Amino acid sequence: MDISIFRQLADQTAQIITSWPNDLIAQYQFLSLPQTGNYTKDFIGDELYNRIREAFIPGEIKIAEQCRALIGELIYDQILDSRPIEPYCELLEKIRDATQFQQTVGNNTCEEWRNAIEYAHLSVQQISLNTTKSLQRTYPNYFAVEFATLRLRSIGYSIDRDGSKMTLSDQMELHLVAKIESLVHEFGGLSVTRQISDFLRAVYDEQQERYHLVILKPKVSEPQQPLIPWGYLFQLAVKHYQGGKSSGIADHRRFKFFFSLYFQ
């Protein structure tokens, strides 16, 4: 499913909201449910989720995974292009919530998605998940990628986008590698080695006699920090051992910029 098509389907089916009654009994009638026994909102909510799942004809596409990828694209659209994220994000969260535990699969057709989105609209009316408030906590990695993309853009690097996948073009990657090497030469290999040693000293565990280079996520809601290729940096430091300023002292702010290139 293309995110632009999803937006169109969501907009086209939004009018169903006006037909959704507030009265519980009327909601049973709207969904053609048996009007016997106790009337409960929970039953309505479960029925709407059932109909979201039933909208998809069994196929090969895992719907919950598709929803997650589309939410990532919405986040990218919002951060990079200031496009609205609602009501599309909450609709996707509803569909993902309805399909993930039963691992619903479908054929990814517009008709399937149209039907699912209609019931998702009704489900949002029945009870909102308020997804936008917790979006950054729920999808920290998407936000981390986008903020890194913004930083790279701000220093002149263009980013290629394919759906929810962000990459540097081959030309930009070569340019970035050349920039890193030129900075190592500017600072001098000895200065770079000292800075690396200072960092590694802080993550050394004397009891285990090892360096903890992979920083574990303190919380599930926080993104995994990028890994710095220390071996590659040491090789560059050796290559440019004779580089650097005559005083042997590199500009501290530019060195922080150098390290920030690895944290994109």
Side-chain angles (χ1 to χ4, degrees):
M1 170 56 60
D2 182 88
I3 189 61
S4 61
I5 296 177
F6 182 88
R7 287 179 182 271
Q8 292 174 9
L9 292 174
D11 293 340
Q12 292 169 4
T13 55
Q15 70 271 11
I16 195 173
I17 297 172
T18 61
S19 304
W20 184 243
N22 293 323
D23 180 71
L24 188 59
I25 296 177
Q27 291 174 1
Y28 271 71
Q29 295 173 342
F30 185 92
L31 296 174
S32 300
L33 295 174
Q35 298 180 49
T36 57
N38 295 326
Y39 296 92
T40 67
K41 288 186 176 181
D42 287 343
F43 186 84
I44 292 291
D46 291 342
E47 179 62 23
L48 290 172
Y49 268 26
N50 285 334
R51 298 198 182 189
I52 289 173
R53 287 190 290 269
E54 291 171 356
F56 296 99
I57 300 172
E60 298 181 352
I61 304 298
K62 294 181 179 179
I63 302 303
E65 291 183 6
Q66 182 78 37
C67 288
R68 185 178 182 86
L70 290 172
I71 290 170
E73 291 193 56
L74 287 175
I75 293 171
Y76 295 167
D77 286 344
Q78 182 190 48
I79 295 176
L80 296 179
D81 303 320
S82 300
R83 298 190 65 184
I85 200 170
E86 293 295 0
Y88 316 106
C89 187
E90 184 150 29
L91 293 173
L92 281 167
E93 279 288 5
K94 281 289 188 177
I95 297 172
R96 188 180 76 91
D97 198 35
T99 59
Q100 64 179 341
F101 293 112
Q102 296 192 19
Q103 298 183 344
T104 304
V105 292
N107 291 290
N108 215 25
T109 66
C110 286
E111 188 61 28
E112 288 177 328
W113 279 96
R114 178 185 294 275
N115 293 334
I117 291 170
E118 282 192 341
Y119 288 115
H121 272 301
L122 300 182
S123 184
V124 170
Q125 291 300 302
Q126 204 252 348
I127 181 170
S128 174
L129 296 175
N130 293 318
T131 56
T132 305
K133 294 181 179 180
S134 60
L135 204 58
Q136 191 164 351
R137 186 172 64 252
T138 307
Y139 300 99
N141 287 329
Y142 282 133
F143 280 90
V145 168
E146 278 317 288
F147 292 142
T149 300
L150 287 177
R151 289 195 296 272
L152 284 171
R153 275 188 174 184
S154 69
I155 56 177
Y157 293 91
S158 60
I159 304 295
D160 292 338
R161 176 178 172 183
D162 181 12
S164 59
K165 183 180 180 181
M166 297 287 184
T167 57
L168 280 171
S169 66
D170 291 342
Q171 183 179 2
M172 286 291 99
E173 186 173 349
L174 290 173
H175 181 61
L176 180 60
V177 170
K179 180 65 175 178
I180 291 171
E181 183 157 357
S182 70
L183 287 171
V184 172
H185 178 76
E186 177 185 340
F187 299 137
L190 182 59
S191 176
V192 171
T193 302
R194 286 172 177 166
Q195 294 281 351
I196 293 174
S197 298
D198 288 343
F199 179 90
L200 295 180
R201 191 178 299 114
V203 296
Y204 182 71
D205 189 315
E206 293 186 358
Q207 289 185 333
Q208 297 182 359
E209 297 183 348
R210 62 187 297 182
Y211 293 95
H212 293 286
L213 299 181
V214 179
I215 303 174
L216 298 178
K217 295 196 299 183
K219 297 179 181 178
V220 175
S221 60
E222 295 184 6
Q224 177 65 57
Q225 293 298 316
L227 301 181
I228 294 179
W230 299 110
Y232 174 63
L233 289 181
F234 272 123
Q235 289 177 350
L236 286 180
V238 171
K239 180 179 179 180
H240 298 283
Y241 189 76
Q242 299 297 328
K245 299 178 181 179
S246 58
S247 64
I249 301 175
D251 179 67
H252 182 65
R253 285 184 300 176
R254 287 183 60 75
F255 198 88
K256 286 182 65 177
F257 166 73
F258 163 69
F259 260 82
S260 75
L261 294 177
Y262 276 105
F263 279 105
Q264 304 304 328

